């Protein structure tokens, strides 16, 4: 099939790459000329394992091309995906300016029946607005259908998630559009849910909010476990083996971040409010998340007391491993607070330091974890990269000024750390 993807962020670029890899002809559109030039040169603007290879392979086979022109993309395609960002406004609601502008430009360039698919995460009822917009700005005789097809891929494992989805959600009132999308995704062999647009849009917000709720639940448990002398990992494992609960997304730590959960939970709270429902459960999820980083900061202060003039080594800046993404990374909040207390910071992250430099000034960026540890009063773990799990801890101990590790991601076994002679603090464990 001929597919156009508008927006080359994580979702758009990965979707475009994977659809091209499945044999479709894909045209990716972005209004950022620099990004399009980079992609044409074979460079990938984001770090996502496996993405560069797929793009290179599909480009060589002429299955994917790039343009800044929506008109060109729409005219060349049967299915047009909207995958532009929907950032949070200061009041927490989703900013749909880009979706609206794209819908209008798509409408102005419709030259025959097309299926317009919304892949951006949007509040319920956006599909209706997109359809209204397209009707308003397109030629009267032209036919089109609108579909909501939310995306569930995770950064860092986006390619795997796209090829092995747990489910594919297709929200539309049109049987013809539902059939076309089912055919498009047929090679993936995943359960397909065909539903109305509003339900599809809610499925996305509800899924992310529920996962965030699991994380906040685990973080609340970590607080109780610390007070009770219990181990949160044992507790969540014991709970999670009940298949009705499940073991995933129950890792306590320093709270969720990234470009999705914080934005989507607050957008869901906001849209619920607009619909006349006060989603207090989710407000509490957000509060627990904010508190978790305060609690970790206090843990550092309790361990090290006065921070003024102390050098701290930080391992991990990205909001999670296998990505270079710094959006809403808990490290940003924590490092800001440590700097305000007068600490000096030596930091290392395997992928995100270029992006971190744009946001975090006044810290020293290191070339490996050992350099971050050298001469530091303590080592603080903020992202659970495998590289940190596999470090030579004896060497780290020798490099640190004091053998103190404060671990926000529970990556080491507390008993082993004690055996090695570390003062070791983690989250919800003893
Ligand atoms: C999330 C969802 O998992 C995807 O299904 C969804 O498609 C995506 O948002 C989106 O809406 O685009 P992502 O933000 O890439 O994906 O990352 P996650 O792996 O979900 O992690 C989110 C945050 O939760 C990270 O800060 C991570 O450290 C934290 N987390 C995750 C925990 O603190 N504990 C856990 O047990 C799991």
């Amino acid at each position: 099939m001929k597919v156009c993807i508008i927006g080359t962020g994580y979702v758009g670029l990965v979707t475009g790459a994977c659809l091209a890899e499945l044999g479709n002809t894909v045209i990716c559109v972005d209004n950022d000329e620099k990004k399009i030039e980079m992609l044409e040169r074979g460079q990938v603007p984001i770090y996502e394992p496996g993405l560069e290879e797929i793009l290179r392979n599909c480009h060589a086979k002429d299955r994917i091309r790039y343009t800044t022109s929506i008109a060109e993309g729409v005219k060349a395609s049967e299915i047009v995906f909207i995958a532009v960002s929907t950032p949070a406004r200061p009041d927490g609601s989703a900013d749909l300016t880009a979706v609206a502008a794209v819908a209008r430009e798509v409408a102005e360039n419709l030259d025959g029946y097309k299926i317009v698919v919304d892949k951006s995460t949007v509040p319920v009822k956006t599909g209706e607005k997109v359809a209204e917009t397209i009707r308003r700005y397109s030629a009267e005789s032209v036919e089109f259908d609108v579909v909501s097809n939310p995306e569930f891929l995770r950064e860092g494992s986006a390619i795997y998630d796209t090829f092995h989805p747990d489910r594919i959600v297709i929200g539309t009132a049109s049987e013809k559009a539902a059939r076309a999308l089912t055919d498009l995704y047929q090679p993936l062999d995943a359960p397909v849910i065909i539903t109305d647009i509003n339900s599809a849009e809610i499925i996305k917000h509800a899924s992310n909010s529920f996962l965030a709720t699991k994380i906040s639940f685990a973080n609340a448990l970590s607080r109780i476990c610390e007070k009770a002398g219990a181990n949160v990992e044992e507790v969540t494992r014991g709970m999670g083996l009940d298949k009705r609960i499940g073991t995933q997304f129950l890792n306590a730590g320093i709270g969720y971040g990234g470009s999705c959960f914080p934005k989507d939970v607050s957008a869901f709270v906001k849209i619920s409010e607009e619909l006349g429902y006060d989603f207090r459960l989710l407000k509490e999820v957000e509060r627990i998340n904010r508190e978790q980083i305060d609690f970790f900061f206090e843990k550092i202060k309790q361990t090290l007391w006065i921070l003024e003039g102390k050098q701290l080594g930080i391992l991990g800046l990205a909001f999670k491993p296998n990505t270079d993404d710094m959006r809403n990374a808990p490290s940003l909040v924590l490092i800001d607070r440590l700097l305000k207390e007068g600490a000096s910071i030596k930091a290392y992250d395997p992928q995100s330091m270029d992006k971190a430099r744009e946001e975090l000034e006044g810290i020293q960026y290191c070339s490996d974890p050992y350099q971050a540890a050298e001469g530091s009063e303590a080592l603080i773990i903020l992202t659970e990269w495998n590289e940190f799990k596999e470090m030579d801890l004896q060497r780290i101990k020798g490099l640190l000024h004091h053998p103190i590790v404060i671990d926000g991601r529970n990556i080491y076994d507390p008993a082993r750390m004690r055996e090695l002679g570390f003062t070791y603090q983690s989250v919800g464990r003893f």
Side-chain angles (χ1 to χ4, degrees):
M1 283 184 198
K2 290 180 188 144
V3 176
C4 166
I5 313 267
I6 304 173
T8 60
Y10 275 93
V11 169
L13 199 54
V14 170
T15 305
C18 293
L19 288 175
E21 180 77 356
L22 291 174
N24 300 287
T25 305
V26 176
I27 178 160
C28 290
V29 186
D30 204 294
N31 60 6
D32 183 337
E33 282 176 25
K34 277 201 194 117
K35 252 187 175 178
I36 293 297
E37 279 166 20
M38 269 181 94
L39 287 162
E40 275 171 345
R41 280 199 303 271
Q43 292 169 336
V44 182
I46 48 173
Y47 171 74
E48 184 62 41
L51 181 58
E52 200 173 327
E53 291 77 354
I54 294 185
L55 288 174
R56 203 182 308 124
N57 176 34
C58 292
H59 202 241
K61 290 183 181 157
D62 262 347
R63 287 207 206 127
I64 196 160
R65 63 196 171 97
Y66 311 100
T67 177
T68 52
S69 161
I70 290 186
E72 187 188 340
V74 171
K75 290 187 174 132
S77 313
E78 301 150 88
I79 304 181
V80 178
F81 282 91
I82 303 178
V84 293
S85 61
T86 52
R89 290 184 189 276
D91 69 354
S93 64
D95 182 346
L96 299 173
T97 313
V99 174
V102 166
R104 177 175 174 166
E105 214 174 326
V106 168
E108 287 165 350
N109 288 287
L110 282 187
D111 56 350
Y113 175 75
K114 314 261 165 179
I115 300 170
V116 181
V117 186
D118 182 25
K119 232 187 203 316
S120 302
T121 300
V122 292
V124 62
K125 292 185 172 292
T126 301
E128 288 176 3
K129 295 267 179 258
V130 166
E132 262 170 46
T133 304
I134 298 181
R135 179 47 63 225
R136 191 169 305 140
Y137 291 102
S138 61
E140 239 171 61
S141 57
V142 88
E143 282 188 39
F144 66 91
D145 280 313
V146 171
V147 176
S148 162
N149 170 223
E151 183 49 62
F152 301 103
L153 61 81
R154 289 162 299 177
E155 288 179 22
S157 55
I159 303 289
Y160 179 87
D161 290 346
T162 305
F163 284 131
H164 305 91
D166 288 342
R167 79 298 207 188
I168 290 161
V169 175
I170 298 172
T172 181
S174 153
E175 271 183 34
K176 186 174 168 186
R179 250 196 324 275
L181 266 286
T182 310
D183 287 350
L184 182 71
Y185 288 121
Q186 194 270 333
L188 298 182
D189 194 26
V192 175
I193 293 169
I194 297 175
T195 181
D196 60 280
I197 298 195
N198 288 343
S199 303
E201 288 168 340
I202 291 188
I203 287 172
K204 172 66 189 192
H205 267 144
S207 300
N208 273 5
S209 299
F210 192 77
L211 290 169
T213 304
K214 281 186 94 175
I215 299 169
S216 277
F217 193 89
N219 283 331
L221 282 178
S222 78
R223 308 286 298 278
I224 298 170
C225 286
E226 283 200 10
K227 290 184 193 295
N231 182 334
V232 72
E233 274 181 345
E234 300 293 314
V235 173
T236 52
R237 195 162 67 93
M239 287 165 58
L241 287 175
D242 182 330
K243 290 193 185 66
R244 294 170 301 174
I245 297 173
T247 49
Q248 295 190 50
F249 280 71
L250 280 178
N251 293 325
I254 51 173
Y256 58 77
S259 64
C260 304
F261 285 177
K263 163 178 84 73
D264 292 351
V265 175
S266 63
F268 203 28
V269 167
K270 198 72 198 162
I271 190 80
S272 304
E273 212 168 274
E274 282 164 21
L275 292 167
Y277 178 68
D278 183 7
F279 214 144
R280 273 182 288 186
L281 174 65
L282 288 184
K283 289 181 181 167
E284 195 58 16
V285 165
E286 291 184 304
R287 191 188 61 79
I288 293 169
N289 198 55
R290 280 192 302 271
E291 253 186 34
Q292 197 67 5
I293 200 80
D294 299 344
F295 154 72
F296 189 69
F297 176 70
E298 285 308 320
K299 192 183 277 279
I300 296 171
K301 277 188 70 171
Q302 269 165 27
T303 313
L304 301 173
W305 194 30
I306 303 295
L307 298 177
E308 176 77 42
K310 288 191 173 152
Q311 176 189 305
L312 306 176
I314 300 269
L315 296 188
L317 296 169
F319 82 97
K320 64 178 223 174
N322 299 320
T323 181
D324 60 351
D325 202 341
M326 288 296 299
R327 285 177 289 176
N328 281 311
S331 65
L332 293 172
V333 178
L334 188 81
I335 290 175
D336 182 54
R337 293 183 69 175
L338 295 173
L339 290 173
K340 282 192 178 127
E341 289 278 319
S344 66
I345 305 285
K346 283 170 87 180
Y348 170 72
D349 186 283
Q351 287 296 339
S352 72
M353 289 197 291
D354 284 346
K355 290 204 171 143
R357 277 191 186 93
E358 292 166 15
E359 308 208 28
L360 272 175
E361 285 176 1
I363 71 173
Q364 185 189 336
Y365 291 94
C366 299
S367 52
D368 61 38
Y370 303 100
Q371 198 190 354
E374 198 172 0
S376 292
E377 300 275 331
L379 199 59
I380 298 170
I381 316 275
L382 299 185
T383 318
E384 64 275 36
W385 286 91
N386 278 342
E387 185 177 338
F388 305 152
K389 294 179 187 167
E390 290 155 8
M391 282 187 319
D392 178 348
L393 289 168
Q394 288 289 11
R395 187 172 161 207
I396 290 284
K397 193 175 154 206
L399 288 166
L400 282 168
H401 202 254
H402 300 290
I404 300 174
V405 173
I406 309 173
D407 178 0
R409 299 293 188 171
N410 289 351
I411 64 173
Y412 302 118
D413 173 24
R416 170 141 192 277
M417 292 301 277
R418 277 193 293 273
E419 253 168 56
L420 287 169
F422 283 101
T423 297
Y424 179 64
Q425 295 283 336
S426 56
V427 179
R429 307 185 303 171
F430 58 90

